[in-house]
Each structure stands twice: as C-alpha cells, then as structure tokens.
Amino acid sequence: MIAAFGGWNDACQAATDVIRHLLNVYESREIGHICCDSYYDYQSSRPMMCTIQGRKRIVWPETTFYEIEIDEHTKLYVEMGPEPNFHWSDFCQRSLRFADEYEVTDMITIGSMFAECAHTRALPVSNSDGDDDTGDDDTYSGPVGIPTVLHYAAAEDGFEARSLWVSVPQYLGGDECPAATMRLLEEVSAIMDLSLEEGDLPSQAEKWRAKADMLVRCNDDLSDYVHHLERHMDEHSPGHDVSTPHARQLVEETEEFLRSFDHPATE
C-alpha cells in the first residue's frame, strides 16, 4: 500500500500526484473511505462545492482507498486524502486495519518538502525504513506529519514500512513539480521491483526544467544562488540521495550565502 496526504506534507502536490498518476495510467477502483467528521477541521480542510451531472453537491474532505491492477499478477493499494487535523493515532489504526483486510504486508508512505536544492540536479529523495533509530546525533528532530506517524505505526504493527520524501526547489514556488513526482515514482518502482508506467511525466518534467531554466537566466542573483546549490550538491552528495539532516545543513549554508547580498563585504 502507498499512502500520500495533501497539505503540509505535500509540497507542490508532488506526493499526491504520484497517486493520481497511478490512478490515471492503470485500471483502478474505489474500495473504501475513512469518513471525515472525526478527523478534520473544516476551517482548514474546507468542503468543496462541485457540480456533478448537472447538480450541485458538497464534497467533504475524506481519505479514499483504491485498488490498482498493475498487471494480471500484481495489485497495488493506495490511500490518499487531506492530512487529518485530529485523532492521528486512531486514524492510523483505521488505515492499518484496512491494510490488514486486504492482506497488505508492505506500507510505503510518501511526501514532498520544500528544500534548498537545484532544479538542474536529480531531486534528492530520502528513503528510510521503520527501524532507523540509530542513536546518531545527526538524525532528524523536529515537526512531523501524518506520513511519518503512519510510517512508524505500520512498522510497530509488523508491516514492512518505507518512508520516501522528495525535496522540491523552494525558489520555484508552489506550482506542480512533475520532476519530483517522477522521482518518487522511480523510488517506488525500485522498492517494489516493478517498472511502473511513467506516462507523460518525463515530458512534463522537461517542460518544468525548461521553465525553471528561463526563470534563472532572467535573474542574475537567482542564477548565482542556483550555481551555489549546484556546487554544494556536487560536493556533498555525488550520486547519492540527500537525507533530511543534509537538507537542513544546506538550508543553513544557503541562508548564509543569501545574507551576503544584504551585507556586502567592504574593502
């Protein structure tokens, strides 16, 4: 089962777009819901007014489960919805009971975060299992979202649990990021040892990079900033994914770099 949630955990919708992509390219069907009233604050996850078959309807936020047929031998289950506001422990247990009902043994939670990384390089992906309490002082400490809570709950309940987070260049704003969606899809494919269909993601990712290239060419300061990020990524992670602690270090160094524009050195 792959789980993704909108909101704080989903920069540029890159994680939930993985689910939408799979639903678009494969045969799928809805198989269940976690209803909304106990889990959502409607002032932060508002109901939506929609017109369906000529009639206006209010669509309430909820989490939906789907069954996806990858091929005649392989079925994949996915979970998608807004991040809940309340009762996270109960929400996770309901998700895991649903996974048990369909004899799921492996759980992959996916998310995306804004970070200081360059669009000209492969977007970093952190990949962790449910047993990464290494005691290392460099492990991440800080706020977490529902993907992390579900990830650890799944590991504690005996699932083979994986957590994937892709970094999205913060300087490009909040538009959709197909390159990040494709990176997550590639990692999911590797974990599952399947060649999942990429559809039009490669062409969309190239358009995204071309748009970013044009933006950088039009702004000298941004160009210098991107070159700084490139050098850092090349020096610290050649051929490797960047973990959350490395991303935090990169944020600190790039903030120092940007402050140099506000306080130029005097001769």
Side-chain angles (χ1 to χ4, degrees):
M1 179 177 285
I2 302 172
F5 301 92
W8 185 77
N9 318 274
D10 192 26
C12 295
Q13 299 183 166
T16 51
D17 276 350
V18 172
I19 306 298
R20 295 185 187 95
H21 170 78
L22 292 171
L23 295 174
N24 285 333
V25 299
Y26 292 106
E27 292 291 329
S28 62
R29 65 184 182 97
E30 286 188 23
I31 54 176
H33 304 270
I34 296 179
C35 295
C36 49
D37 284 348
S38 298
Y39 302 107
Y40 292 105
D41 172 3
Y42 295 139
Q43 289 183 325
S44 59
S45 297
R46 290 187 178 273
M48 301 292 291
M49 179 67 74
C50 300
T51 301
I52 301 175
Q53 295 181 339
R55 299 183 61 184
K56 286 189 175 296
R57 291 183 54 189
I58 294 177
V59 178
W60 297 88
E62 65 181 3
T63 295
T64 305
F65 297 87
Y66 300 88
E67 180 185 81
I68 299 175
E69 187 172 337
I70 303 299
D71 56 43
E72 59 180 336
H73 305 294
T74 309
K75 289 182 180 178
L76 175 66
Y77 298 93
V78 296
E79 174 182 7
M80 181 173 66
E83 180 179 52
N85 303 101
F86 309 115
H87 309 302
W88 282 15
S89 294
D90 180 69
F91 180 90
C92 289
Q93 289 307 310
R94 290 190 64 177
S95 297
L96 297 178
R97 285 199 297 271
F98 197 94
D100 277 332
E101 180 181 343
Y102 283 86
E103 300 181 343
V104 168
T105 58
D106 295 58
M107 175 74 71
I108 304 173
T109 57
I110 58 177
S112 53
M113 59 183 176
F114 287 115
E116 304 301 329
C117 57
H119 74 279
T120 54
R121 301 293 186 264
L123 298 181
V125 177
S126 67
N127 181 336
S128 64
D129 59 27
D131 186 24
D132 52 5
D133 297 326
T134 61
D136 188 342
D137 290 338
D138 198 32
T139 56
Y140 173 72
S141 297
V144 297
I146 194 66
T148 302
V149 177
L150 179 58
H151 164 66
Y152 279 95
E156 289 173 359
D157 276 14
F159 289 84
E160 291 291 329
R162 284 278 180 179
S163 176
L164 301 176
W165 287 83
V166 66
S167 294
V168 178
Q170 192 165 11
Y171 59 86
L172 293 179
D175 292 339
E176 289 187 3
C177 184
T181 298
M182 190 166 71
R183 286 286 287 125
L184 284 173
L185 186 69
E186 290 168 349
E187 291 293 324
V188 170
S189 295
I191 290 172
M192 297 179 60
D193 195 24
L194 287 172
S195 181
L196 295 173
E197 292 287 342
E198 293 183 343
D200 65 351
L201 280 177
S203 63
Q204 292 299 319
E206 285 303 312
K207 291 178 182 177
W208 173 82
R209 289 192 179 91
K211 182 179 178 182
D213 287 342
M214 182 174 294
L215 177 65
V216 170
R217 285 196 298 269
C218 294
N219 187 316
D220 290 340
D221 287 347
L222 181 57
S223 178
D224 290 342
Y225 175 55
V226 171
H227 290 323
H228 170 77
L229 295 176
E230 291 172 336
R231 288 194 299 272
H232 184 100
M233 294 179 75
D234 291 343
E235 291 170 1
H236 288 78
S237 55
H240 298 282
D241 290 332
V242 177
S243 65
T244 300
H246 292 126
R248 187 169 65 252
Q249 177 187 0
L250 182 52
V251 169
E252 293 171 354
E253 293 188 5
T254 50
E255 286 176 348
E256 181 180 353
F257 174 78
L258 288 174
R259 281 195 294 270
S260 66
F261 289 113
D262 297 328
H263 304 286
T266 58
E267 295 181 357

